Amino acid sequence: MCNRLTCSILLALSATLAGCATAPADTRPAVAATAVAQDESARLNAWFDEQYEQSLQFSPMRMTMLGRKDLQDQLEDASEAATRARLEWMRRSVAQMEAQFDYQRLDEDTRLSWQLWKRQYERARDGEAFRDHGYPFTQFGGTHSFLPTFLINFHKVEAEADYLAYISRLRAVPVLVEQTLERARASSAKDIRAPRFAFDGVIDQARRVITGAPFTEGDDSALWADAQAKADALVEKGVIDAARGAALKQQAREALEQQLRPAYDAIIAYAEGERGKAPTNPSGVGTTHPGGEAFYNWQIAQHTTTDMSAEQIHQLGLSEVARLRGEMEALKQQVGFDGDLQAFFRFIATDPQFKYPDTDAGRQAYIDDATAAIDTIRKVLPQYFGLLPKAELVVRRVEPFREQPGAAQHYYPGTPDGSRPGIYYAHLSDMNAMPKPELEVIAYHEGLPGHHMQISIAQELTGVPKFRTQMGSTAYSEGWGLYSEWLAKEMPGTYQDPYSEYGRLTSEMWRAIRLVVDTGMHAKGWTEEQAVAYFLANSSIPETAVRSEVQRYLVMPGQATAYKVGMIRIQQLRARAESELGDRFDIRGFHDTVLGGGAMPLDLLEQRVERWIAARKAG
């Protein structure tokens, strides 16, 4: 297929060759206009790449995650002054774009880039009013858990200079931690603090980071084991000799003991001081934060990229829960279960046939089965997609220092150049919280054709400004992940067992329940226990996982509403395309249109799909 610009030129040439009398008068202005758009778009796209490179200088850790070694001896500057400087840079960048380029002279795709660049700034600008409403440290994430993950998995050591940079980052930990603690203390001063369970999680995770050698007696801690392995690998490859390797390890050990440990002690002390002031059966931000209603409304607008109100999202959730209960009833009848839906839930939640052994062998079996499910999808991808990811995908267990029983599985992107694979992480400390019926659907969501496919394709895009290859949009990304679970049902070899289909329904029900309980807690004042009770009444998800989920929603207000909203919008766009195009509908073209522009707000995705439909109609 030709792109839009090439097609325009070819159509103009065809008209001329056909001998149409009015062709010279009609085509010259069109070609001239196309040339103007091409020139203005090329100028702006080059400018975008320059601006994106400047923006990366604010984030040494981001560059490392992209596989680059610029500023690799530094961590982020999380100070308030740095945050304001980044926002001011974004404001000036947008002002420069509007002053130096003409939106009306751009081609359609570059207009999309313009809108995305401006919206990034507007989102950051509007979020300034809610700077103190976030929770810098929670059981679900924060500096305390991300730093070890980052140093172990993302900081590559291929030369002595890389190891010295690693040591420099260890030595810089106290500054980043103190800057983050300053943000947390500012929130606490306004009586904005996370629930008690969040502080309990932070204390536990932080202690696990500094448990083991060289911090305490026992086996090596994860960080010390990694520091030794990185140095030993340099010695084994002949990059340095053994004496130099030993010296580098000693420097790393001293940094761990003298810089990192005191920083983690400070995190633990802060969390211990705050937990006694935090609620034990909390409700959401709408009732616990001063100005919390406005904060929550902003959060759902950012995450869903729609103008839906909390009440509209709540009602959507209730209707989706009712629909999915009906589908579960039908499946219950299909498998011949004698009992009501609640009894069916209990059967699946408790029967040993649906559990992996809570042993190392059981954990490996889970990883092997998830990998096999992904491999099944990989074989048929070309039937549904023209764009295919080049990056590899691996399934791994979450590192011990941040693993939580029943916590949600998640995905970490690989590097754009493919040097590091995408990673589907699974929490496997409690195998009772990892039921077999849900394995397939989670693998499709996190791996293929879900997050790994969407993010890898975005990172590998050519012909668009670099910033678009790294953009994020919750409703788009998580909507695609949930759509992928549904799409996988069309693919051969999936959901062969009716209980795996039940797992798919459970996963979709899970996201429908999210609409109800997230808005229930944050907009209607539901407590944690009310949300847990609603969740258990409408799913067979183990209580450990349910409680982990509800606690996640409490510390990440609004994020959970994006999944179902995004999925439904993508389904609606596909249904519209199928209806309007009929025999001209091409599933590969539709998916390439959705994925081929990178992540974006749902309204801009809708415009992109509408242009594709119009182009297909025009032949």
Side-chain angles (χ1 to χ4, degrees):
M1 294 175 62
C2 58
N3 62 34
R4 192 198 61 80
L5 178 59
T6 306
C7 287
S8 297
I9 295 172
L10 289 175
L11 286 171
L13 288 173
S14 297
T16 303
L17 293 172
C20 177
T22 58
D26 290 339
T27 58
R28 282 196 293 264
V31 171
T34 299
V36 168
Q38 187 176 25
D39 180 63
E40 188 75 350
S41 298
R43 284 200 317 117
L44 181 55
N45 285 329
W47 180 87
F48 278 138
D49 284 346
E50 293 171 1
Q51 294 294 293
Y52 177 62
E53 185 61 31
Q54 289 182 35
S55 73
L56 286 177
Q57 304 309 306
F58 288 109
S59 183
M61 295 171 73
R62 180 63 177 157
M63 282 196 280
T64 297
M65 294 185 74
L66 291 172
R68 294 174 52 169
K69 293 188 177 182
D70 317 49
L71 308 179
Q72 68 165 343
D73 59 344
Q74 301 177 33
L75 299 175
E76 306 299 274
D77 184 346
S79 66
E80 182 174 347
T83 301
R84 294 191 185 283
R86 284 192 292 270
L87 182 62
E88 175 58 18
W89 179 88
M90 294 172 74
R91 185 196 66 77
R92 291 199 307 268
S93 177
V94 170
Q96 182 182 355
M97 177 180 72
E98 293 178 330
Q100 295 184 3
F101 300 93
D102 185 347
Y103 179 83
Q104 299 302 326
R105 297 171 68 184
L106 302 173
D107 62 37
E108 290 291 348
D109 201 52
T110 311
R111 288 182 180 183
L112 173 59
S113 298
W114 171 298
Q115 292 171 295
L116 290 169
W117 188 258
K118 186 172 182 178
R119 286 202 190 183
Q120 284 186 130
Y121 161 65
E122 291 172 340
R123 177 177 180 176
R125 177 201 64 197
D126 295 346
E128 271 295 283
F130 307 108
R131 174 196 295 273
D132 294 329
H133 284 262
Y135 302 136
F137 300 99
T138 74
Q139 84 288 358
F140 195 73
T143 302
H144 64 290
S145 59
F146 181 68
L147 267 175
T149 302
F150 171 79
L151 290 166
I152 292 169
N153 293 302
F154 297 101
H155 186 108
K156 290 192 301 183
V157 172
E158 299 167 321
E160 182 178 348
D162 301 335
Y163 199 92
L164 291 170
Y166 182 89
I167 294 169
S168 294
R169 278 180 156 161
L170 290 175
R171 292 171 176 163
V173 167
V175 174
L176 176 57
V177 166
E178 180 55 30
Q179 289 171 339
T180 313
L181 283 169
E182 286 177 5
R183 288 176 49 210
R185 294 185 193 111
S187 298
S188 297
K190 297 180 179 180
D191 285 330
I192 294 174
R193 58 179 55 85
R196 183 171 298 184
F197 62 72
F199 292 111
D200 290 338
V202 170
I203 293 166
D204 175 63
Q205 292 166 17
R207 281 179 176 159
R208 279 190 270 167
V209 171
I210 55 173
T211 295
F215 310 110
T216 65
E217 297 294 326
D219 296 337
D220 290 343
S221 67
L223 276 170
W224 178 228
D226 179 63
Q228 293 179 90
K230 282 178 163 70
D232 290 343
L234 292 180
V235 174
E236 290 170 8
K237 294 174 183 176
V239 177
I240 56 175
D241 60 28
R244 182 56 177 160
L248 290 175
K249 284 191 283 188
Q250 181 59 28
Q251 290 183 50
R253 183 182 184 116
E254 290 172 359
L256 288 169
E257 293 175 323
Q258 298 172 19
Q259 276 85 39
L260 186 136
R261 173 158 191 171
Y264 273 73
D265 285 338
I267 293 171
I268 293 168
Y270 165 76
E272 288 178 336
E274 288 294 308
R275 74 176 297 276
K277 306 170 191 175
T280 56
N281 181 26
S283 55
V285 298
T287 53
T288 60
H289 287 206
E293 181 180 358
F295 171 57
Y296 184 58
N297 289 337
W298 177 76
Q299 283 284 75
I300 58 177
Q302 297 308 308
H303 286 301
T304 68
T305 62
T306 71
D307 58 2
M308 293 180 71
S309 67
E311 182 60 29
Q312 288 173 320
I313 292 172
H314 190 81
Q315 293 302 321
L316 174 63
L318 291 173
S319 65
E320 284 293 284
V321 167
R323 178 183 66 80
L324 289 162
R325 281 182 70 96
E327 294 193 28
M328 287 178 166
E329 287 278 5
L331 191 138
K332 176 175 70 73
Q333 300 287 338
Q334 177 188 338
V335 299
F337 182 83
D338 186 16
D340 63 15
L341 199 55
Q342 281 301 122
F344 192 48
F345 289 163
R346 288 192 296 272
F347 164 65
I348 293 178
T350 59
D351 194 288
Q353 69 174 301
F354 301 120
K355 307 291 184 183
Y356 285 89
D358 197 17
T359 62
D360 287 343
R363 293 176 180 91
Q364 187 59 50
Y366 187 96
I367 291 173
D368 292 344
D369 288 350
T371 301
I374 290 167
D375 287 343
T376 296
I377 288 285
R378 183 181 284 110
K379 295 172 185 175
V380 298
L381 285 178
Q383 300 174 34
Y384 298 87
F385 299 89
L387 292 171
L388 296 171
K390 299 181 181 68
E392 294 297 318
L393 171 66
V394 297
V395 184
R396 289 183 188 167
R397 182 180 179 181
V398 171
E399 300 91 347
F401 58 82
R402 66 185 184 95
E403 191 169 40
Q404 302 173 59
Q409 302 356 299
H410 55 283
Y411 173 78
Y412 272 172
T415 51
D417 65 2
S419 60
R420 186 186 69 244
I423 304 170
Y424 159 30
Y425 275 114
H427 290 267
L428 302 178
S429 55
D430 178 11
M431 294 307 295
N432 289 320
M434 302 293 289
K436 287 182 179 180
E438 294 171 31
L439 176 139
E440 263 193 82
V441 69
I442 296 172
Y444 302 150
H445 181 107
E446 303 295 344
L448 296 175
H451 288 324
H452 176 69
M453 182 143 189
Q454 178 256 307
I455 294 172
S456 296
I457 286 174
Q459 291 192 143
E460 295 162 9
L461 287 176
T462 59
V464 299
K466 290 179 183 177
F467 84 90
R468 283 180 56 182
T469 70
Q470 298 298 320
M471 280 203 71
S473 172
T474 314
Y476 173 94
S477 298
E478 298 298 354
W480 176 261
L482 194 50
Y483 170 83
S484 294
E485 301 175 11
W486 176 78
L487 171 66
K489 188 177 178 181
E490 300 178 17
M491 298 179 171
T494 64
Y495 304 123
Q496 297 296 290
D497 182 336
Y499 289 106
S500 289
E501 169 62 11
Y502 174 84
R504 186 192 70 78
L505 289 173
T506 296
S507 180
E508 190 174 354
M509 174 68 90
W510 187 347
R511 280 36 177 254
I513 290 171
R514 283 177 173 177
L515 299 179
V516 178
V517 300
D518 196 278
T519 53
M521 291 188 294
H522 292 296
K524 294 178 175 291
W526 289 17
T527 65
E528 176 187 344
E529 295 305 323
Q530 284 177 288
V532 167
Y534 182 86
F535 216 126
L536 291 174
N538 289 285
S539 78
S540 61
I541 298 171
E543 184 172 352
T544 303
V546 165
R547 193 164 295 279
S548 176
E549 280 291 299
V550 169
Q551 291 178 350
R552 169 189 166 186
Y553 310 155
L554 280 163
V555 300
M556 299 176 66
Q559 192 268 354
T561 65
Y563 295 67
K564 206 71 174 68
V565 170
M567 174 202 193
I568 290 172
R569 184 63 57 86
I570 295 172
Q571 287 175 318
Q572 290 171 338
L573 292 174
R574 176 171 163 179
R576 184 189 308 174
E578 289 173 333
S579 174
E580 293 191 26
L581 293 175
D583 292 342
R584 291 188 177 184
F585 177 78
D586 170 26
I587 189 65
R588 300 200 326 161
F590 173 77
H591 289 149
D592 289 357
T593 299
V594 172
L595 297 180
M600 64 189 72
L602 294 180
D603 63 315
L604 299 184
L605 176 64
E606 183 171 358
Q607 293 174 22
R608 181 176 170 85
V609 172
E610 286 173 347
R611 289 195 295 272
W612 176 75
I613 293 172
R616 293 289 292 179
K617 284 181 176 179

